[in-house]
Amino acid sequence: MMVSEGEYLKKILLSHVYDVAVKSDLVKLDKLSAALDNDIWLKREDQQPVKSFKLRGAYNRISQLTEAQRQAGVIAASAGNHAQGVAYSARIKQIKAVIVMPQTTPDIKVDAVRTFGGDYVQVVLHGTSFDAASSEARRLSDEHGYTFIPPFDDADVIAGQGTIGRELLEQNPDLDTLFIAVGGGGLAAGIAVYLKQLKPDLKIIAVESEESACLKAALEAGKPVELPSVGIFADGVAVKLIGTETFRLCQQYVDEVITVSSDEICAGIKDIFDDTRVIAEPAGALSVAGMRKYVQQHGLKGRKLGGILCGANINFHTLRYVSERCELGEQKEAVFAVKIPEQSGAFRNFCRLLGGRAITEFNYRFASDKEAHIFVGLKLREGRAEFAHISQTLNQAGYQLFDLSDNEMAKLHVRYMVGGRPPALLNEHIFSFEFPEHPGALMKFLDTLGERWNITLFHYRNHGAAEGLVLAGFDIPEGSRSEFDRHVAQLGYSFEEQTDNPAYRFFLSDLNGVFTD
């Protein structure tokens, strides 16, 4: 039976979520507001006991159970925030809960579910995918009479998430545009069905990851359609098929859909951190990523825009990836490959053409007697327009350039694999340096060493610390080592020779893996 809009309004207003949920803060993001020239507000659902909004829907659904259903227990399939919401709710309600998770689920998530549920929760690890875990949960539900708690496609779950809309309207009734992340659609459906009945002129924009845009696909097809695959970076919204009821509500009440890349999501995580010092999970930063992109696409100014930090259960090791990619998402960095002639001074001439711009990464390896291939990261002050100008300058100077800023394989893998063994025997010596992070440090290095001795290997990455770490190789002919040492001393940079380092000898030297004691 279809639930009417009026019934949803009643369900939301009478929801039991505040037995466990907090009325999360709506905070202004001052730095982002200034950067985008709009008033930006963020709903802090990371403040919930399970660090995500999912607690609202799970608890509201469990609160509607009959006494017989309570006695039989509940079951859910999830590897993320929904599992934690169900586990927490079951413990509060003192109801047995079975949570089915894929066998590939990281231990940190399994342990979190057990911690939140305590003695009331049993975790079952089954299969290697969410689909397999969900099928097993359905089977166990039929076998034991458990009530299945869906992650999004359920009226009571939708109403629980809709309580966020109620709070938003109370906290800032002047918002004119709201951005909401979409995975299965429960969050967007619940908020939209509430807000559009009370403030129909409020614009609601759904934000999806480019790698799991199931709402966009459904709107184009006029019905829910299953995606062939989904990306796993924003795992909180990695849903192949939007719910039937959530799609009905989103189709009726959501005004637009925008998709964002993984790099843009990383930029959103950084935007949130800069203003709040909170680290959002990728799905939790979708609304801010979409907001930034939408403002730039449509030239919005002076508007009151809202977003929802819908989760902060991030794997700590994901931060390394986020740090690498956020400035690409903000269009504050470009990465590209260039062919340069293999001759004395070519490296220095190339750097001079960059006009003093900050180099964030430089991978170089001697390739042949005629040319070298380099992988470059460059900090941009004026976005992609500035990079277009740089490209033109380099092309006019005779350099062949390949933009890799949108090449996922290059950014994820190749940037760390530039190198290999030289095709000819060299008198190569390898050194690690600590560069002071200030303009001119690289040019000082090249002016001191790069003209007299051929550079055969170079890797540098700026991570914003006081000093950058550099690995460099030089072809030092026999009899000139003492002269080289004098020039290195003139630099004043800390350094250490690494020629005998086994990692270098095994992977990069011309000794074909020979080790020395």
Side-chain angles (χ1 to χ4, degrees):
M1 175 180 173
M2 184 181 297
V3 178
S4 70
E5 287 72 6
E7 288 175 303
Y8 269 116
L9 198 64
K10 183 178 179 180
K11 280 179 173 288
I12 292 168
L13 290 171
L14 298 179
S15 170
H16 294 82
V17 300
Y18 298 107
D19 293 347
V20 292
V22 301
K23 184 177 180 180
S24 59
D25 294 338
L26 181 68
V27 299
K28 187 176 181 183
L29 302 185
D30 292 323
K31 291 183 179 179
L32 189 58
S33 295
L36 299 184
D37 202 15
N38 289 274
D39 287 342
I40 310 297
W41 298 84
L42 186 68
K43 184 72 167 156
R44 292 280 308 278
E45 281 299 287
D46 62 289
Q47 295 174 340
Q48 299 302 339
V50 299
K51 308 301 181 187
S52 98
F53 76 96
K54 286 287 190 176
L55 177 62
R56 295 175 184 259
Y59 188 83
N60 193 52
R61 177 67 184 89
I62 289 173
S63 295
Q64 314 301 320
L65 297 177
T66 65
E67 183 58 33
Q69 290 172 326
R70 285 168 53 88
Q71 292 297 322
V74 299
I75 192 167
S78 171
N81 293 335
H82 178 60
Q84 296 180 37
V86 172
Y88 189 94
S89 301
R91 179 171 60 82
I92 296 298
K93 286 291 191 180
Q94 299 183 347
I95 295 172
K96 177 185 177 182
V98 178
I99 309 293
V100 185
M101 310 177 82
Q103 293 173 338
T104 52
T105 304
D107 289 343
I108 188 172
K109 293 187 176 182
V110 176
D111 292 342
V113 169
R114 288 175 172 150
T115 298
F116 283 126
D119 294 337
Y120 292 94
V121 169
Q122 174 190 357
V123 174
V124 174
L125 300 178
H126 180 86
T128 58
S129 68
F130 171 74
D131 289 341
S134 183
S135 296
E136 176 66 4
R138 294 285 186 181
R139 186 190 71 78
L140 291 172
S141 174
D142 292 339
E143 180 178 338
H144 297 285
Y146 303 139
T147 298
F148 188 83
I149 308 298
F152 47 82
D153 202 22
D154 176 272
D156 291 318
V157 172
I158 292 169
Q161 324 302 25
T163 57
I164 295 174
R166 173 184 174 184
E167 293 171 19
L168 278 168
L169 206 55
E170 295 171 351
Q171 292 169 319
N172 191 340
D174 296 326
L175 289 177
D176 53 60
T177 308
L178 181 63
F179 295 80
I180 309 174
V182 170
L187 181 65
I191 293 175
V193 73
Y194 182 87
L195 291 179
K196 281 292 190 176
Q197 292 186 75
L198 301 179
K199 191 178 180 182
D201 58 333
L202 174 66
K203 193 170 190 177
I204 294 179
I205 299 175
V207 186
E208 294 189 286
S209 166
E210 291 177 351
E211 298 180 338
S212 54
C214 61
L215 174 58
K216 180 183 177 185
L219 290 171
E220 291 172 351
K223 61 180 181 180
V225 292
E226 185 169 349
L227 301 176
S229 63
V230 293
I232 60 172
F233 174 59
D235 57 349
V237 291
V239 176
K240 288 184 177 181
L241 181 69
I242 195 168
T244 302
E245 178 66 355
T246 55
F247 172 67
R248 180 182 75 86
L249 295 172
C250 287
Q251 186 181 40
Q252 184 172 352
Y253 293 114
V254 169
D255 296 289
E256 293 184 48
V257 177
I258 188 171
T259 61
V260 292
S261 67
S262 293
D263 287 354
E264 289 165 336
I265 294 171
C266 290
I269 293 173
K270 180 176 179 292
D271 285 332
I272 292 171
F273 177 81
D274 285 346
D275 261 303
T276 67
R277 293 299 184 265
V278 171
I279 302 175
E281 64 184 85
L286 269 178
S287 63
V288 171
M291 189 186 305
R292 174 183 278 276
K293 186 172 186 176
Y294 193 87
V295 166
Q296 293 171 342
Q297 286 181 344
H298 297 272
L300 298 186
K301 289 187 177 182
R303 307 285 289 275
K304 293 180 175 60
L305 313 178
I308 300 165
L309 196 178
C310 53
N313 289 308
I314 188 169
N315 185 326
F316 182 79
H317 297 293
T318 302
L319 297 178
R320 178 168 45 197
Y321 176 91
V322 172
S323 176
E324 287 281 352
R325 304 293 285 269
C326 62
E327 292 206 330
L328 286 164
E330 293 176 304
Q331 297 187 359
K332 292 181 178 179
E333 183 184 24
V335 293
F336 56 98
V338 181
K339 290 183 180 180
I340 66 173
E342 185 53 62
Q343 63 189 38
S344 182
F347 188 7
R348 184 175 61 172
N349 291 336
F350 169 79
C351 290
R352 186 169 286 124
L353 284 171
L354 297 179
R357 294 177 175 87
I359 295 173
T360 58
E361 183 170 4
F362 209 111
N363 291 279
Y364 168 88
R365 185 58 163 151
F366 178 94
S368 71
D369 292 337
K370 294 183 178 180
E371 67 181 22
H373 300 171
I374 58 179
F375 186 105
V376 185
L378 198 64
K379 197 169 187 66
L380 303 176
R381 294 184 292 268
E382 301 171 11
R384 296 296 296 177
E386 181 182 1
F387 182 66
H389 174 72
I390 295 167
S391 300
Q392 183 179 14
T393 300
L394 292 173
N395 287 329
Q396 289 174 349
Y399 292 94
Q400 188 176 1
L401 178 148
F402 304 91
D403 184 11
L404 300 175
S405 300
D406 293 323
N407 185 313
E408 188 66 18
M409 188 177 76
K411 292 183 291 184
L412 196 59
H413 298 292
V414 173
R415 71 195 308 172
Y416 305 111
M417 300 170 69
V418 175
R421 298 184 178 90
L425 289 174
L426 302 170
N427 292 307
E428 185 176 70
H429 295 257
I430 302 296
F431 300 85
S432 57
F433 293 85
E434 292 182 7
F435 274 35
E437 291 291 7
H438 62 70
L442 178 58
M443 285 305 300
K444 179 182 178 182
F445 177 90
L446 296 174
D447 286 340
T448 304
L449 299 173
E451 187 74 33
R452 174 66 178 82
W453 290 275
N454 189 32
I455 296 174
T456 57
L457 177 150
F458 196 93
H459 180 259
Y460 164 73
R461 181 63 182 173
N462 179 332
H463 283 288
E467 295 175 335
L469 302 180
V470 173
L471 188 70
F474 298 87
D475 186 6
I476 305 176
E478 292 182 6
S480 65
R481 176 59 190 264
S482 60
E483 184 183 0
F484 177 87
D485 289 343
R486 286 195 301 271
H487 279 74
V488 171
Q490 292 174 13
L491 275 172
Y493 299 168
S494 297
F495 72 97
E496 182 179 0
E497 184 164 2
Q498 301 286 351
T499 306
D500 291 331
N501 186 302
Y504 158 72
R505 288 183 166 270
F506 189 79
F507 291 108
L508 297 171
S509 79
D510 57 18
L511 300 177
N512 294 316
V514 176
F515 294 109
T516 58
D517 295 328

